[in-house]
Every structure is written in C-alpha cells, then in structure tokens.
Amino acid sequence: MKKFSSKKLKEISKIFGNETNLKILLCLSEDSKNFLRIKKECNVCSPSALNSIKILLKYKLVKKKIVKLKPKRVIYALTDKGLNYIKVLKYIMKKFLTARPSRRTRS
C-alpha cells in the first residue's frame, strides 16, 4: 500500500469527515454567498457554520472577500483548490449514490 502523509490524511478527514463542511462546499459551488445565506441554505446553526468556514478557510478551500459597501459585507467563495475538492466530492457522491450493492452468493 502506498504511504500517505499523516498530515494529508488529517486534512482530508477534517474536510470530508464533517457534514457541515460538505454542505457548505456544495452550497458555494453554486455561487458566492454571505454567512447568513450559507447558514440558511445549508440549514445549520451559526456556531457549526462558523466552525466549518474557519476550517475551510484554513485549508484554503474557501476564500473570504470583503465588499466595500456600507455596511461592509463579507462574501465567501470557493478557491481553485475548493473547486477541485468539489469535483472529487461530486464524483464520489455520483458513484456512491448510483452504485448498487452487489449480491453475494454463498459457495
């Protein structure tokens, strides 16, 4: 088996192992959004959404844009890395959701 770095496995686990992270990534794959819109569309509570956004920012899957309007607004969008994760996630979801369990026969 090929060895994977522990750091990379932890990163993947933190991102893909959390339902709220996945919801936010999928939500942002449609369009950039502010915090309240993310929270509403993902149907998650504020602390959970905030924690997930912090993780996604840390791993550079999401970027934070400050729009200089009055009042100042913060918009979140996917980075190129985030777009690549979305492709992988959608591929996994497609394979998982369309795969039929194989029937095992007893010998």
Side-chain angles (χ1 to χ4, degrees), residues 12-25:
I12 291 168
S13 174
K14 275 202 168 193
I15 296 162
F16 285 115
N18 181 293
E19 183 180 356
T20 304
N21 292 354
L22 299 177
K23 284 181 177 182
I24 291 172
L25 284 171

Side-chain angles (χ1 to χ4, degrees), residues 14-15 18 21 50-61:
K14 275 202 168 193
I15 296 162
N18 181 293
N21 292 354
L50 186 59
N51 185 53
S52 287
I53 288 172
K54 284 181 182 178
I55 289 169
L56 298 172
L57 286 167
K58 176 183 175 183
Y59 290 109
K60 296 179 172 54
L61 298 175

